[in-house]
Amino acid sequence: MESYRGFLALLMSALPVGFLSVLFTLIWVLHYREGLGWDGSSLEFNWHPVLAVTGFIFIQGIAIIVYRLPWTWKCSKFLMKSIHAGLNGVATILAVIALVAVFDFHNAQSIPNMYSLHSWVGLAAVICYVLQLFTGFFIFLLPWAPPSLREFIMPIHVYFGLFLFGTTIATALMGVTEKLIFVLKDPPYHSFPPEGVFVNTLGLLILLFGALIFWIVSRPQWKRPKEPDSTLLKSNCDTTERMEGDVAISSGNNTDRSDSELNNEGATRKRNSGLDDVGQRSTM
């Protein structure tokens, strides 16, 4: 009970923090950065942080802990896999649109692409995330992969999922810092302007959300209980069938032996009856 309350406390802390991260990003681009658009201007670039934080951080974080929700443990594993894959699919779509927005803006403004560490790590994270999504879909969601392959891939899949989540958080923090350095000239970033303080707070919210998600995932007592292995069930069923067959054969043998014993007893009685008749006639 205490463990369940602890989980709820952390979950009720993580969800508002994640939602505030998305809300702060929207306030930043709508209030400080003139809004959103899709015309090759800075308004189109503003979609990049909004979609990245919404999809790549908030939705991805929810997808990571969806297996840990205790009230879903009675749901089928396939249903939870589908929800996990669906959330990651939405996050991937938003991340790709965020990439399109920033590349389109750079090309329209004749700004070089892929020169910063933020862009290198961000593009690598998106590519690896897409590969991770397809790997999970074809190996774990579809019933094609053998159990031995799933067992081998599972720890790798879990590790890279958490690694990519941490990578996206680091990429977002690099990105917002880089953007503030570029746009805050008067007053400069180092003079603590309101926009700089506000976006720094956004970075802290993103970092706190990631810390809460990592803490929830790292607790073994909140892990979804394992379902019975279908292979083991099949083996047990085969064993039961063999035992039932052995019992049936044994029962048949016992029945045959009983019939044989009854026939022998009947023949013995007939012979004894015949001997008694012969003895009576000889006495007469």
Side-chain angles (χ1 to χ4, degrees), residues 229-245:
D229 190 0
S230 58
T231 304
L232 182 60
L233 286 176
K234 183 178 179 181
S235 176
N236 290 340
C237 290
D238 293 341
T239 303
T240 303
E241 291 175 357
R242 286 196 299 270
M243 291 176 63
E244 291 175 351

Side-chain angles (χ1 to χ4, degrees), residues 1 17 21 42 50 55 69 100 117 121 133 147 155 180 210 214 242 247 267:
M1 191 65 179
V17 170
S21 300
S42 60
V50 171
L69 305 177
V100 173
L117 179 62
V121 178
L133 178 64
L180 290 178
F214 273 114
R242 286 196 299 270
V247 170

Side-chain angles (χ1 to χ4, degrees), residues 172-211:
L173 297 180
M174 287 190 291
V176 296
T177 304
E178 181 182 290
K179 182 65 176 178
L180 290 178
I181 293 174
F182 287 161
V183 300
L184 294 181
K185 302 298 183 182
D186 188 22
Y189 187 22
H190 61 76
S191 65
F192 293 95
E195 182 179 356
V197 175
F198 183 83
V199 177
N200 285 350
T201 305
L202 166 62
L204 291 177
L205 287 173
I206 292 174
L207 190 63
L208 179 59
F209 177 71

Side-chain angles (χ1 to χ4, degrees), residues 54-75:
T54 303
F56 233 20
I57 294 177
F58 182 61
I59 296 180
Q60 183 185 177
I62 301 303
I64 289 175
I65 64 172
V66 71
Y67 287 114
R68 300 292 174 128
L69 305 177
W71 51 87
T72 66
W73 291 350
K74 294 183 179 180
C75 299

Side-chain angles (χ1 to χ4, degrees), residues 35-96:
L36 299 167
W38 200 272
D39 54 2
S41 67
S42 60
L43 301 182
E44 182 174 352
F45 174 87
N46 290 343
W47 281 109
H48 180 71
V50 171
L51 296 178
V53 172
T54 303
F56 233 20
I57 294 177
F58 182 61
I59 296 180
Q60 183 185 177
I62 301 303
I64 289 175
I65 64 172
V66 71
Y67 287 114
R68 300 292 174 128
L69 305 177
W71 51 87
T72 66
W73 291 350
K74 294 183 179 180
C75 299
S76 68
K77 189 68 174 292
F78 179 78
L79 174 62
M80 300 314 300
K81 286 180 180 180
S82 301
I83 295 174
H84 177 74
L87 290 172
N88 281 301
V90 172
T92 302
I93 294 172
L94 296 181
V96 170

Side-chain angles (χ1 to χ4, degrees), residues 111-242:
I111 299 175
N113 291 308
M114 302 301 299
Y115 64 88
S116 66
L117 179 62
H118 167 73
S119 61
W120 290 7
V121 178
L123 182 61
V126 172
I127 294 173
C128 292
Y129 196 79
V130 172
L131 294 176
Q132 174 88 342
L133 178 64
F134 278 101
T135 300
F137 180 79
F138 285 107
I139 293 182
F140 298 107
L141 189 61
L142 298 181
W144 295 346
S148 58
L149 178 61
R150 294 186 179 188
E151 185 179 358
F152 175 76
I153 294 295
M154 176 57 74
I156 302 174
H157 182 74
V158 171
Y159 170 79
F160 271 100
L162 296 176
F163 173 75
L164 288 174
F165 182 61
T167 301
T168 56
I169 291 175
T171 306
L173 297 180
M174 287 190 291
V176 296
T177 304
E178 181 182 290
K179 182 65 176 178
L180 290 178
I181 293 174
F182 287 161
V183 300
L184 294 181
K185 302 298 183 182
D186 188 22
Y189 187 22
H190 61 76
S191 65
F192 293 95
E195 182 179 356
V197 175
F198 183 83
V199 177
N200 285 350
T201 305
L202 166 62
L204 291 177
L205 287 173
I206 292 174
L207 190 63
L208 179 59
F209 177 71
L212 291 171
I213 295 298
F214 273 114
W215 183 261
I216 291 173
V217 172
S218 63
R219 300 302 93 190
Q221 65 269 27
W222 297 333
K223 188 175 182 180
R224 178 186 173 95
K226 288 186 177 181
E227 295 181 352
D229 190 0
S230 58
T231 304
L232 182 60
L233 286 176
K234 183 178 179 181
S235 176
N236 290 340
C237 290
D238 293 341
T239 303
T240 303
E241 291 175 357
R242 286 196 299 270

